Amino acid sequence: MARPNVLEVKRVASIGGGPIGAGWAAHFLARGYDVTGYLHAMGEESIYRRILDTAWVSLTALGLAPGASLARLTLTDDLDRAVADAEFVQESAPERLELKQKLYERLGTIVPSGVIIASSTSGLMMSDIQVLCPTPERTVIGHPFNPPYLLPLVEIVGGNKTSPDAVMWARDFYAHAGKAPLVMKKEIPGFVATRLQEALWREALHMVANGEATPEDIDVALMNGPAPRLTIQGQCMAFHVACGEGGMATNLDQFGPALKLPWTRLVAPELTKELRDRMVDGCNEMAQGRHFEDMAAERDRAIVGVLKAVRAARSGG
């Protein structure tokens, strides 16, 4: 089945009214696409547009593509209308397998033939999502990191019935649309980045549960330790460079035995009420009564600064 030319795609459908669906819409609008956003109900429009307005501040600071405009957005609660003219579909429906299976059963029929349907799911596998879809060969995972309008990563993988060319098309399209696509070697729950993030999260919960650190301690440690380095070097390259001329070989030969030390606990702790309350109270203390929209705006301004600085550093500017 012929697919749209990646370079000629003009209209994208973004399905879902939450932060991910609206965030994807903001990204594609900023790249100069026409976007149709599908909402479960039009009563969600005001929240959706607030997400867009927040995103647009940062996207404008980073630089909009020629012709980019919020006016190129159409919102509807009619799924057939939302995808009728789509040349690419980004699905960000709630993370419930049965719901997604039924949605893909319908999308497989109403989305124009040959058009790729990508899921933003953060943990479900496409092999499970596509079981009822009548055209599963064009369905892929296109998992972003939040907020999708700022963080470049998108993890791509197909399911058992996905055509390899659909994965490659998605990779090329996301790259053309300004993302940093990572095509996975195989399907695994949680993909790559989320699994790494969850390892950090489990360890953080253990330390809070055991009274070893507060939520603030953990965030201070990450923001002032690994985080700045990780913007330039990933974990593997950071350890390679840290060990001088010997590189990763020196790292593994010298520090390999430490891998057996009880420094990390990969099994998640029991989420007791006490642990829940410690996490909630600790985060509320750090928030100091600020509204989530204000904190999201502050986060986005800082990410924009980081992205600009990284661009400059990599270009030698």
Side-chain angles (χ1 to χ4, degrees), residues 100-111:
K100 285 188 185 287
Q101 288 174 337
K102 291 180 178 178
L103 176 60
Y104 276 71
E105 183 178 20
R106 186 173 174 194
L107 290 175
T109 299
I110 65 176
V111 172

Side-chain angles (χ1 to χ4, degrees), residues 178-225:
K179 303 298 283 184
L182 169 63
V183 176
M184 295 185 57
K185 302 297 184 289
K186 60 176 67 176
E187 270 191 303
I188 54 172
F191 321 117
V192 176
T194 300
R195 290 174 76 99
L196 295 171
Q197 180 176 257
E198 284 299 301
L200 275 173
W201 180 232
R202 287 192 295 270
E203 190 62 25
L205 290 175
H206 273 297
M207 287 189 280
V208 172
N210 294 334
E212 298 160 350
T214 66
E216 184 176 11
D217 293 336
I218 290 162
D219 284 2
V220 166
L222 288 172
M223 290 188 297
N224 294 283

Side-chain angles (χ1 to χ4, degrees), residues 239 243-256:
F239 279 10
C243 288
E245 291 186 10
M248 183 56 75
T250 295
N251 180 289
L252 294 176
D253 292 344
Q254 289 190 4
F255 300 107

Side-chain angles (χ1 to χ4, degrees), residues 15-202:
I15 298 174
I20 303 301
W24 269 118
H27 170 76
F28 288 122
L29 288 167
R31 300 296 298 185
Y33 293 93
D34 293 310
V35 177
T36 301
Y38 169 75
L39 307 179
H40 181 67
M42 291 309 294
E44 301 170 354
E45 181 175 358
S46 61
I47 295 175
Y48 191 100
R49 291 193 180 276
R50 288 208 301 271
I51 295 170
L52 286 177
D53 290 341
T54 297
W56 209 250
V57 173
S58 298
L59 289 166
T60 301
L62 285 172
L64 302 174
S69 171
L70 287 172
R72 298 179 70 169
L73 172 70
T74 301
L75 291 178
T76 180
D77 58 0
D78 183 332
L79 186 60
D80 291 76
R81 180 187 173 199
V83 303
D85 300 318
E87 295 166 292
F88 175 73
V89 176
Q90 184 75 44
E91 170 271 313
S92 306
E95 288 283 85
R96 298 200 296 274
L97 180 58
E98 184 179 354
L99 182 153
K100 285 188 185 287
Q101 288 174 337
K102 291 180 178 178
L103 176 60
Y104 276 71
E105 183 178 20
R106 186 173 174 194
L107 290 175
T109 299
I110 65 176
V111 172
S113 62
V115 171
I116 298 298
I117 308 168
S119 178
S120 300
T121 179
S122 60
L124 300 176
M125 293 195 291
M126 183 47 70
S127 291
D128 296 325
I129 294 173
Q130 67 185 192
V131 293
L132 300 179
C133 182
T135 53
E137 67 280 355
R138 54 167 168 169
T139 62
V140 303
I141 298 295
H143 170 239
F145 241 52
N146 195 18
Y149 53 85
L150 286 183
L151 298 182
L153 179 67
V154 57
E155 297 173 304
I156 306 168
V157 66
N160 291 334
K161 298 179 180 179
T162 301
S163 171
D165 77 278
V167 173
M168 295 302 100
W169 190 97
R171 177 201 64 187
D172 295 344
F173 172 72
Y174 281 125
H176 180 67
K179 303 298 283 184
L182 169 63
V183 176
M184 295 185 57
K185 302 297 184 289
K186 60 176 67 176
E187 270 191 303
I188 54 172
F191 321 117
V192 176
T194 300
R195 290 174 76 99
L196 295 171
Q197 180 176 257
E198 284 299 301
L200 275 173
W201 180 232
R202 287 192 295 270

